[in-house]
C-alpha cells in the first residue's frame, strides 16, 4: 500500500467508523431495549455473562458463537476499565460488539479487493478505497451493525476465512470457517467455497494444459457454447475420477474436509442443521429464492448489471440463442409453479420490508410471479456476464454454493443474501469512477431512508403497546 493510499484508507475507515458511532448513539437513544430478534439474543448473552452457560433459549436457532465472543470481549474490558453493575453486558454494550465487527469488515473488504484484483494495474488506490467504502455501507449489512444480530460477526469470520484461503493459509482459513459456522450454521457452505477455490485453481491449470495439447484456444473464450460446456464437463468428470488427482486435491484441502466432516457429524447428532426452534426453519427446495437473490443483486448493483450496454448485449444473445432461452424460460416457469413457498412470517410480520415487497408485488395478481420470468432471465445473464473474467470452474463452484445457501431457505429474508452478494461483488471487475460514485451515493441514500424509517416512522399494533419499527 502506497503512502497516499494508506492515508486515504485510514481517513475513509476513520470517517466511516465516526459516522457509525454517531448512528449507534442515535439508535441506542431511540431503541434502548432489545428489538425483534434481540429479545432472544440479548438475554442469552447476558446469561453467559453471568456464567450460566447451560442455560439456552429454545427459540434461538443458531450456535452460541456470538454470545461466547461477546463474553470474551466484554468481560475483560469490564475488568480492565472497572465497570460493574448493569453496564456490563447491557444492550448497548452488546450492540457495540457489532460496531467493532463492522470496522473489521471494512479492513477485510479492502484486503480482499486488493488481493483479488492485484493483477489489474489499471485500478487505482482511490478506486479500491471507494469500492471498500461502498461495500462496507452495503445497506442490508450496515443496518445490522447497530443491533445485536449475528450478521456482522458472521460476515467478519467468513470474509477473514476467504482472505486466508486466497493467501494459501488453509489451516487458518478452516479455523476461521469454524468460527463463522458457530455464528450461523449455513456458513459451512462458504467453507466449501474456500475449498472450491483451491479445486477450481487446480482444474483451471489442468484445463489450460489440456487446451495446449489439443492446440485449441477457442474453447476457453466461448463459454456460452453448449458444445464447449459439454467438453468442459467431460474434462471435469475425467479429472475428478482420477485417484491421483483426488489425492492431490485432498492434500491441499484437508483442513476444509475435516471441518465439513465435523459439520455432518453435528447434523447427524443434532438431527438437523437447526438448533432450537425448528418449526419455523424447515428446509425445502425453494428454487425461486435464486430468482429473488438475482433481483436483489440487480437492485443493489444496478451500475454493474442494469446498463444500456448490458441490455443490448442480452438482446443480441437472445436473438442468437432463442431455443436455449426458451428452454430456460420453461424451466423457470416450472420451478416457480411447483416450488414457490410462502413462509408464515413473510405474511404476518409487517415490520420487515419483505412483507411489503411480497404484498405490493407478488400478491397483486397470481400471474405476477410468472410475468417476472423475463426479468429473472436477464438478471441471471447479466449476473453471469459480470463474472466472465473468472474461470469457468470458479463460476461453476460459486453457483453451486449460491444454490446451496439460498434454495433450502423457505423464508424470504434479505439477510440471507448478504454473504453471497458480497462474495459476488468482490469478484467482479471495477467500474468507472463515475459509476462507483453512483453506487456509493445510492447506498448512502438507501441507508438514509432505512434509518429515517427505523428511527422516526414508528407504529403500534392493535394488541400491543410496544413501539414497532420498520427494518430489513
Amino acid at each position: 500500500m502506497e503512502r497516499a493510499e494508506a492515508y486515504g484508507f485510514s481517513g475513509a475507515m476513520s470517517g466511516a467508523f465516526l459516522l457509525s458511532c454517531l448512528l449507534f448513539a442515535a439508535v441506542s437513544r431511540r431503541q434502548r431495549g432489545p428489538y425483534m430478534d434481540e429479545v432472544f439474543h440479548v438475554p442469552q448473552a447476558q446469561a453467559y455473562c453471568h456464567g450460566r452457560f447451560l442455560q439456552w433459549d429454545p427459540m434461538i436457532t443458531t450456535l452460541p458463537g456470538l454470545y461466547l465472543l461477546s463474553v470474551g470481549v466484554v468481560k475483560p474490558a469490564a475488568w480492565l476499565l472497572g465497570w460493574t453493575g448493569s453496564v456490563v453486558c447491557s444492550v448497548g454494550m452488546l450492540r457495540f460488539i457489532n460496531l467493532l465487527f463492522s470496522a473489521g469488515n471494512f479492513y477485510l473488504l479492502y484486503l480482499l479487493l486488493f488481493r483479488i484484483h492485484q493483477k489489474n494495474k489499471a485500478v487505482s488506490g482511490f478506486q479500491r478505497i471507494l469500492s471498500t467504502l461502498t461495500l462496507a455501507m452495503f445497506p442490508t449489512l450496515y443496518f445490522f451493525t447497530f443491533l445485536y444480530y449475528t450478521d456482522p460477526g458472521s460476515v467478519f469470520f467468513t470474509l477473514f476465512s476467504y482472505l486466508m484461503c486466497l493467501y494459501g493459509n488453509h489451516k487458518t482459513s478452516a479455523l476461521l470457517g469454524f468460527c463463522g459456522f458457530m455464528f450461523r450454521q449455513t456458513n459451512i457452505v462458504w467453507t466449501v467455497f474456500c475449498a472450491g477455490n483451491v479445486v477450481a485453481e487446480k482444474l483451471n491449470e489442468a484445463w489450460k494444459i489440456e487446451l495446449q495439447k489439443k492446440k485449441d484456444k477457442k474453447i476457453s473464450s466461448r463459454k456460452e457454447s453448449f458444445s464447449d460446456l459439454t467438453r468442459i464437463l467431460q474434462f471435469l468428470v475425467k479429472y475428478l475420477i482420477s485417484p491421483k488427482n483426488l489425492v492431490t486435491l485432498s492434500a491441499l484441502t484437508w483442513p476444509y474436509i475435516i471441518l465439513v466432516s465435523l459439520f455432518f457429524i453435528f447434523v447427524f447428532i443434532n438431527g438437523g442443521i437447526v438448533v432450537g426452534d425448528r418449526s419455523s426453519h424447515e428446509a425445502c427446495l425453494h428454487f425461486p429464492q435464486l430468482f429473488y437473490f438475482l433481483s436483489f443483486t440487480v437492485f443493489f448493483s444496478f451500475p454493474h448489471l442494469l446498463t444500456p450496454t448490458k441490455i443490448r448485449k442480452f438482446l443480441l444473445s437472445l436473438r442468437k440463442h432463442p431455443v436455449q432461452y426458451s428452454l430456460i424460460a420453461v424451466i423457470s416457469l416450472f420451478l416457480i409453479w411447483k416450488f414457490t413457498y410462502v413462509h408464515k412470517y413473510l405474511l404476518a410480520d409487517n415490520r420487515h420490508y419483505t412483507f411489503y415487497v411480497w404484498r405490493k408485488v407478488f400478491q397483486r395478481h397470481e400471474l405476477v410471479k410468472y410475468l417476472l420470468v423475463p426479468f429473472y432471465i436477464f438478471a441471471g445473464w447479466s449476473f453471469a456476464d459480470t463474472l466472465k473474467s473468472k474461470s469457468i470452474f470458479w463460476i461453476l463452484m460459486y453457483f453451486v454454493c449460491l444454490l446451496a445457501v439460498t434454495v433450502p431457505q423457505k423464508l424470504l429474508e434479505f439477510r440471507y443474501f448478504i454473504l453471497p452478494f458480497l462474495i459476488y461483488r468482490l469478484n467482479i471487475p471495477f467500474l468507472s469512477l463515475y459509476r462507483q460514485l453512483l453506487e456509493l451515493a445510492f447506498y448512502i441514500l438507501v441507508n438514509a431512508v432505512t434509518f429515517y424509517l427505523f428511527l422516526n416512522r414508528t407504529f403500534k399494533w392493535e394488541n400491543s403497546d410496544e413501539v414497532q419499527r420498520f427494518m430489513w
Side-chain angles (χ1 to χ4, degrees):
M1 189 189 298
E2 296 180 0
R3 180 173 294 183
E5 185 176 351
Y7 287 148
F9 173 78
S10 299
M13 187 172 178
S14 300
F17 188 71
L18 176 61
L19 173 64
S20 297
C21 287
L22 294 173
L23 277 172
F24 180 83
V27 171
S28 297
R29 280 197 305 270
R30 299 290 184 89
Q31 184 62 48
R32 295 185 179 275
Y35 184 68
M36 284 291 287
D37 289 2
E38 285 186 320
V39 299
F40 308 114
H41 295 310
V42 170
Q44 185 62 55
Q46 290 172 340
Y48 277 32
C49 272
H50 292 103
R52 300 194 298 271
F53 292 101
L54 296 180
Q55 181 179 324
W56 186 258
D57 186 339
M59 293 301 293
I60 295 173
T61 58
T62 53
L63 292 169
L66 176 61
Y67 320 126
L68 291 169
L69 186 136
S70 299
V71 174
V73 172
V74 171
K75 280 292 191 178
W79 178 75
L80 287 170
L81 300 172
W83 294 333
T84 57
S86 60
V87 69
V88 180
C89 288
S90 62
V91 175
M93 187 64 65
L94 293 171
R95 286 174 178 169
F96 191 76
I97 298 292
N98 278 347
L99 204 60
L100 298 178
F101 275 132
S102 178
N105 285 332
F106 192 104
Y107 189 43
L108 287 170
L109 287 166
Y110 174 82
L111 293 175
L112 281 163
L113 284 168
F114 186 87
R115 178 65 179 177
I116 292 169
H117 301 281
Q118 62 181 342
K119 293 181 180 178
N120 186 357
K121 303 303 180 184
V123 176
S124 67
F126 180 71
Q127 284 180 293
R128 275 193 295 268
I129 294 168
L130 192 62
S131 194
T132 300
L133 183 61
T134 302
L135 291 179
M137 299 193 71
F138 173 50
T140 313
L141 173 62
Y142 190 65
F143 177 82
F144 291 101
T145 298
F146 307 98
L147 296 175
Y148 192 58
Y149 272 59
T150 59
D151 300 274
S154 168
V155 169
F156 175 82
F157 284 110
T158 302
L159 292 183
F160 203 172
S161 175
Y162 184 30
L163 180 67
M164 289 297 99
C165 170
L166 293 179
Y167 277 99
N169 197 337
H170 301 300
K171 291 189 286 292
T172 304
S173 176
L175 180 61
L176 291 164
F178 173 76
C179 295
F181 167 72
M182 288 295 290
F183 273 67
R184 182 167 292 164
Q185 293 92 303
T186 52
N187 285 344
I188 196 67
V189 172
W190 302 112
T191 296
V192 175
F193 172 80
C194 288
N197 264 274
V198 180
V199 174
E201 187 176 340
K202 286 295 176 184
L203 285 168
N204 200 44
E205 291 173 3
W207 179 241
K208 288 178 180 177
I209 294 171
E210 185 80 6
L211 290 178
Q212 288 173 355
K213 287 179 180 177
K214 297 181 179 180
K215 302 295 183 182
D216 183 4
K217 299 290 183 182
K218 294 183 290 182
I219 300 174
S220 60
S221 63
R222 296 190 294 115
K223 293 178 182 177
E224 291 185 6
S225 169
F226 180 75
S227 61
D228 291 347
L229 287 175
T230 303
R231 293 177 68 178
I232 288 169
L233 290 174
Q234 288 173 347
F235 163 79
L236 189 62
V237 172
K238 181 182 175 182
Y239 185 92
L240 293 178
I241 61 173
S242 166
K244 181 183 176 182
N245 293 334
L246 289 177
V247 169
T248 301
L249 294 176
S250 298
L252 290 169
T253 60
W254 66 265
Y256 306 113
I257 293 171
I258 290 174
L259 181 54
V260 172
S261 299
L262 290 173
F263 165 75
F264 283 116
I265 292 171
F266 159 78
V267 171
F268 177 77
I269 294 172
N270 186 57
I273 191 172
V274 176
V275 296
D277 179 30
R278 300 180 186 180
S279 60
S280 301
H281 296 82
E282 298 172 349
C284 62
L285 288 175
H286 193 180
F287 288 105
Q289 284 279 25
L290 179 61
F291 304 141
Y292 307 148
F293 170 76
L294 291 171
S295 304
F296 173 90
T297 304
V298 168
F299 179 78
F300 281 112
S301 290
F302 74 91
H304 298 263
L305 301 174
L306 200 59
T307 65
T309 303
K310 288 283 186 190
I311 294 171
R312 284 195 298 270
K313 285 178 65 178
F314 171 71
L315 292 175
L316 181 62
S317 178
L318 191 64
R319 201 175 300 122
K320 288 175 64 178
H321 307 286
V323 176
Q324 289 93 324
Y325 282 105
S326 298
L327 182 61
I328 292 170
V330 170
I331 293 171
S332 300
L333 289 167
F334 175 77
L335 293 176
I336 292 170
W337 174 45
K338 283 294 185 182
F339 296 98
T340 295
Y341 296 92
V342 184
H343 198 284
K344 59 183 179 182
Y345 289 170
L346 182 62
L347 301 176
D349 197 337
N350 65 346
R351 295 169 293 184
H352 288 293
Y353 295 154
T354 47
F355 172 88
Y356 299 96
V357 170
W358 194 263
R359 192 176 72 174
K360 298 292 185 181
V361 178
F362 293 94
Q363 285 191 320
R364 278 192 175 276
H365 194 278
E366 179 64 26
L367 293 178
V368 168
K369 60 185 179 183
Y370 302 108
L371 294 175
L372 288 171
V373 165
F375 173 75
Y376 294 151
I377 294 174
F378 166 74
W381 176 89
S382 187
F383 183 89
D385 188 61
T386 53
L387 289 171
K388 63 185 179 183
S389 61
K390 310 298 288 187
S391 76
I392 186 65
F393 304 107
W394 190 97
I395 294 170
L396 288 171
M397 176 268 303
Y398 172 78
F399 270 94
V400 168
C401 292
L402 174 61
L403 289 170
V405 84
T406 56
V407 169
Q409 305 282 359
K410 187 175 183 179
L411 176 63
L412 172 57
E413 170 70 83
F414 290 146
R415 290 189 300 133
Y416 299 158
F417 297 158
I418 291 173
L419 274 168
F421 175 85
L422 288 177
I423 298 293
Y424 159 77
R425 180 61 182 75
L426 285 165
N427 281 279
I428 61 177
F430 279 79
L431 290 170
S432 65
L433 187 58
Y434 164 73
R435 290 190 180 276
Q436 279 190 272
L437 289 169
L438 176 63
E439 187 179 31
L440 176 59
F442 178 62
Y443 282 16
I444 291 171
L445 176 63
V446 172
N447 280 322
V449 172
T450 300
F451 283 106
Y452 172 78
L453 292 174
F454 183 79
L455 296 174
N456 300 303
R457 297 298 297 272
T458 59
F459 63 100
K460 291 184 179 181
W461 289 334
E462 291 183 3
N463 58 346
S464 174
D465 292 329
E466 292 183 11
V467 173
Q468 308 298 336
R469 301 178 185 274
F470 296 107
M471 61 186 292
W472 287 105

